[in-house]
């Protein structure tokens, strides 16, 4: 549900920590871990949908963050990692936690009240497109090329195909779709902020992201009681879905991601983005019985093709 750029990852720190681990201890081939990460994040949208059956979106997000933070805290304890230091670092982490975790996680949960998990998963794949669009506006150091601009146009053509623009968006819940797209936009805004404020802090990737998730948990802990009430009953299946979403889809997935970034580099690790909507669509249709028209998979392929072009680098 996220990509290697979604968290305050210091790539050099990740590579250094991985280099200190003997190859013999890497029991699973990186391709196996890549496939597991794709499945975990692909099923995250189904888990959100199941969680919102009996719990409010803010409650789903809070549970997700708490379980995810618990997994990372346990990993930090085992590795004897320390939390980042400095008031300025924590101030930046607070903003990053909102943009990369609290806000998009909550928006996706609210969006799935009215749209299928398949559509939410495809909307998530537009994050690279938003990132490219922001680079054009912000004039960042990551200069656009003709190929990448073409990918941007192709990607948004795919979005219009998924949404059925030629039919006037008939039968589409505009609010839910807008929330999912806004969630996808929040990620690259957060990535840009993280790169410009938290790069080179000296703290490890695990320490930074564990702290970031912890701050996001506190943010939701403040907001959730204000906008929600205690559920009348605690249904087991939705609760298990939230636990899996946090422990697996947030905590364990990030740990797998660190290893991939360190071993094969961020470019290869980021390819997981292109498998997420495929798995999300298959899971939603097969397990939740969500409808699927021809425009959804066709549009998704166009979106992914455009997203791939926006990530192209000049030699």
């Amino acid at each position: 549900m996220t990509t290697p750029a979604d968290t305050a990852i210091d790539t050099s720190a990740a590579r250094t920590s991985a280099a200190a681990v003997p190859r013999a201890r890497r029991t699973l081939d990186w391709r196996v871990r890549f496939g597991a990460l794709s499945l975990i994040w692909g099923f995250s949208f189904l888990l959100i949908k199941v969680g919102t059956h009996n719990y409010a979106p803010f409650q789903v997000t809070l549970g997700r963050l708490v379980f995810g933070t618990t997994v990372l805290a346990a990993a930090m304890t085992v590795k004897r990692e320390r939390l980042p230091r400095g008031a300025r670092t924590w101030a930046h982490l607070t903003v990053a936690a909102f943009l990369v975790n609290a806000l998009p996680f909550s928006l996706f949960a609210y969006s799935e009240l009215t749209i299928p998990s398949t559509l939410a998963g495809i909307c998530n794949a537009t994050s690279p497109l938003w990132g490219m669009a922001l680079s054009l506006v912000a004039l960042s150091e990551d200069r656009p090329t003709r190929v990448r601009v073409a990918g941007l146009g192709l990607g948004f053509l795919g979005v219009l195909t998924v949404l059925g623009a030629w039919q006037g968006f008939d039968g589409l819940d505009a609010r839910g779709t807008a929330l999912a797209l806004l969630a996808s936009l929040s990620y690259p805004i957060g990535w840009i902020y993280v790169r410009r404020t938290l790069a080179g802090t000296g703290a490890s990737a695990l320490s930074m992201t564990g702290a970031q998730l912890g701050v996001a948990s506190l943010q939701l802990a403040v907001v959730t009681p204000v906008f929600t009430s205690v559920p009348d009953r605690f249904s087991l299946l939705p609760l298990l879905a939230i636990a899996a979403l946090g422990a697996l889809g947030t905590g364990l997935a990030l740990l797998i991601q660190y290893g991939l970034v360190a071993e094969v580099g961020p470019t290869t690790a980021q390819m997981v983005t292109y498998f997420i909507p495929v798995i999300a669509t298959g899971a939603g249709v097969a397990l939740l019985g969500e409808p699927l028209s021809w425009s959804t998979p066709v549009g998704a392929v166009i979106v992914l093709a455009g997203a791939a072009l926006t990530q192209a680098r000049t030699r």
Side-chain angles (χ1 to χ4, degrees):
M1 187 153 176
T2 49
T3 68
D6 285 357
T7 51
I9 293 179
D10 186 330
T11 303
S12 61
R15 285 176 173 159
T16 300
S17 61
V21 180
R23 287 185 177 274
R25 291 176 59 185
R26 298 176 187 173
T27 56
L28 292 177
D29 184 82
W30 72 267
R31 297 171 186 83
V32 176
R33 285 176 281 135
F34 183 96
L37 184 60
S38 301
L39 285 172
I40 290 172
W41 273 338
F43 271 86
S44 292
F45 296 94
L46 179 148
L47 295 175
I48 293 172
K49 173 66 77 172
V50 174
T52 56
H53 284 169
N54 288 91
Y55 298 97
F58 276 140
Q59 293 169 344
V60 172
T61 303
L62 175 60
R64 173 184 186 176
L65 288 168
V66 169
F67 281 108
T69 301
T70 301
V71 171
L72 292 188
M76 289 175 62
T77 301
V78 171
K79 294 176 182 274
R80 297 183 179 179
E81 294 272 4
R82 293 183 177 181
L83 289 172
R85 297 181 179 180
R88 185 173 182 179
T89 297
W90 281 95
H92 289 313
L93 280 172
T94 300
V95 178
F98 175 75
L99 292 174
V100 179
N101 303 116
L103 178 60
F105 289 1
S106 299
L107 289 175
F108 271 123
Y110 269 101
S111 73
E112 291 200 39
L113 291 176
T114 55
I115 67 173
S117 64
T118 55
L119 179 55
I122 293 172
C123 287
N124 180 72
T126 64
S127 285
L129 303 178
W130 292 120
M132 179 62 194
L134 287 172
S135 73
L136 291 174
V137 175
L139 298 177
S140 69
E141 68 282 355
D142 193 12
R143 302 298 299 175
T145 63
R146 291 182 179 180
V147 171
R148 301 179 70 193
V149 172
L152 178 64
L154 182 64
F156 282 111
L157 176 63
V159 172
L160 293 177
T161 303
V162 171
L163 302 182
W166 64 92
Q167 298 175 336
F169 307 106
D170 184 42
L172 180 73
D173 185 84
R175 179 176 176 272
T177 305
L179 290 177
L181 291 173
L182 184 60
S184 303
L185 171 61
S186 181
Y187 285 133
I189 293 175
W191 304 336
I192 293 173
Y193 183 85
V194 166
R195 285 202 305 267
R196 294 185 176 182
T197 62
L198 290 170
T201 59
S204 70
L206 177 58
S207 174
M208 293 291 286
T209 307
Q212 184 176 303
L213 283 183
V215 172
S217 298
L218 292 176
Q219 291 172 344
L220 264 294
V222 172
V223 171
T224 301
V226 177
F227 293 96
T228 66
S229 56
V230 178
D232 296 331
R233 58 190 180 90
F234 292 88
S235 300
L236 181 60
L237 183 59
L239 187 60
L240 290 176
I242 296 172
L245 179 65
L248 300 180
T250 303
L252 178 62
L254 289 175
L255 294 177
I256 296 174
Q257 182 191 48
Y258 297 150
L260 289 175
V261 171
E263 187 172 346
V264 301
T267 301
T268 301
Q270 193 175 13
M271 292 298 292
V272 72
T273 303
Y274 308 120
F275 292 87
I276 293 174
V278 177
I279 296 171
T281 299
V285 173
L287 300 179
L288 297 180
E290 294 179 342
L292 183 67
S293 63
W294 69 267
S295 61
T296 300
V298 171
V301 170
I302 298 174
V303 168
L304 294 178
L309 289 177
T310 63
Q311 301 306 300
R313 294 290 186 270
T314 56
R315 295 187 179 181

